[in-house]
Amino acid sequence: MPSDMPTSCSNPNALGISRVVEIDTTGGPGFGFEHFKAHDFLREGEVVLTFDDGPWPKNTRAVLTALAAHCTKAIFFPIGLHATYEPGLLKEVAAAGHAVGSHTWCHQDLSKTKGHCNVNGKVQTVEYNPIDEIEKGVSAVHWAVGGPTAPYFRFPALRQPPELIEYLGKRNIAIFSADMDSFDFKMRKPEQVRQSVMDKLKKHGKGIVLMHDFQHATAEAAMDLLNDLKAGGYKVVFMKPKFAVTTIPSYDEQVLKVVSATGGGGGDTRPTSSVVRTISESPTPPR
């Protein structure tokens, strides 16, 4: 049994993980039939769960709790700026064994160079280079996790300029579209999210499902939705990356400057192991 599959689960009705597939992201393969037709690897009834726009207080943790209760795994596509707000929460996502990709620095439309960015509740008009937007997001997520992250990327609004697809290919970063979009960001009630996902799965039979752990309705729906998937006989496939993403040092430095300026991480970006070191320790007394 692959190590990625839980060896025991206290929930007898858990979805679990039916299959783990290793993804070689060399050359930047694309997944999700809305845009990419090359890799049809899912079998009938198989589902890949994906969540965008986190990490976000309460909502992301509710999704994590549901996934843990069902002993299953998903792919998360966090926004870089959100990762700097909630690094501890993103560490929890990674520690639970989920794949953590990236979703730009501030959720900009990468087919444009001007937009708006909500920074700490204040909307700012911004001009950006799309490659900077991608790379700063990759570095921010990597900084927040403090360890390996996946070479997986999803374009905001699934707007995918050809030159950026080519760029990500050279970076060996896989691009995720979706087989079905829940459109949960348009929904206010958890029942709507559940119905949307289940109706589309019934129609398609299998697929990569796009949801948002940022959305409150999705957070509220998560546990019941996983129950629905189990009841419907669906099986979860976990897409494990073969290797971790490689960040670009200049963008790592940009993120550190932002974090230090805003006081994120206490303004100190060094790992604790380089700040605190045990130099002597009393032996443990016998019991």
Side-chain angles (χ1 to χ4, degrees):
M1 179 180 288
S3 61
D4 297 275
M5 295 192 186
T7 53
S8 64
C9 190
S10 59
N11 178 2
N13 296 311
L15 263 174
I17 301 169
S18 68
R19 193 159 64 107
V20 177
V21 294
E22 184 180 75
I23 306 300
D24 183 347
T25 63
T26 303
F31 299 97
F33 267 40
E34 282 197 25
H35 293 90
F36 304 108
K37 313 294 186 188
H39 301 295
D40 183 9
F41 68 94
L42 291 176
R43 302 165 187 163
E44 191 69 16
E46 288 187 336
V47 177
V48 175
L49 302 170
T50 71
F51 296 92
D52 293 7
D53 294 1
W56 206 249
K58 297 184 180 178
N59 296 346
T60 298
R61 190 161 281 120
V63 170
L64 282 178
T65 298
L67 292 168
H70 271 275
C71 299
T72 194
K73 291 182 185 174
I75 306 173
F76 287 77
F77 293 94
I79 293 171
L81 192 59
H82 292 177
T84 68
Y85 295 161
E86 296 290 336
L89 189 50
L90 200 56
K91 282 181 174 68
E92 287 182 39
V93 175
H98 304 293
V100 182
S102 62
H103 194 45
T104 73
W105 169 252
C106 193
H107 207 266
Q108 300 300 334
D109 180 344
L110 297 187
S111 67
K112 301 177 180 178
T113 57
K114 292 183 180 179
H116 298 90
C117 184
N118 189 326
V119 182
N120 288 316
K122 294 181 180 179
V123 177
Q124 302 176 359
T125 300
V126 292
E127 291 190 31
Y128 53 89
N129 176 315
I131 289 176
D132 293 346
E133 180 74 8
I134 291 171
E135 294 292 357
K136 201 171 170 185
V138 171
S139 287
V141 167
H142 188 263
W143 169 82
V145 168
T149 50
Y152 294 171
F153 179 79
R154 181 173 271 154
F155 284 89
L158 302 181
R159 290 184 182 145
Q160 307 180 155
E163 67 274 13
L164 295 181
I165 289 176
E166 184 180 351
Y167 174 79
L168 289 162
K170 291 175 181 175
R171 289 279 281 114
N172 297 320
I173 294 175
I175 303 165
F176 280 73
S177 177
D179 293 319
M180 58 203 80
D181 189 337
S182 65
F183 292 108
D184 55 352
F185 60 90
K186 296 182 177 181
M187 300 167 185
R188 294 291 171 266
K189 297 179 180 178
E191 298 78 21
Q192 295 172 309
V193 178
R194 290 168 62 189
Q195 185 172 354
S196 171
V197 172
M198 297 308 295
D199 285 354
K200 288 179 179 182
L201 264 175
K202 188 174 182 180
K203 178 182 176 182
H204 292 273
K206 62 179 184 178
I208 297 169
V209 183
L210 193 165
M211 296 175 280
H212 297 81
D213 55 314
F214 178 79
Q215 297 294 332
H216 184 63
T218 302
E220 287 194 307
M223 192 73 79
D224 287 332
L225 174 60
L226 297 183
N227 291 338
D228 293 343
L229 291 171
K230 176 67 176 180
Y234 292 99
K235 298 177 185 296
V236 172
V237 171
F238 180 54
M239 297 174 70
K240 179 184 178 182
K242 185 176 182 178
F243 49 80
V245 75
T246 303
T247 61
I248 296 175
S250 60
Y251 291 99
D252 293 340
E253 290 167 13
Q254 287 183 39
V255 170
L256 291 183
K257 286 179 182 175
V258 171
V259 173
S260 297
T262 58
D268 190 345
T269 57
R270 294 175 296 163
T272 300
S273 60
S274 71
V275 178
V276 181
R277 183 169 64 95
T278 300
I279 56 173
S280 69
E281 187 170 2
S282 300
T284 303
R287 293 187 175 182

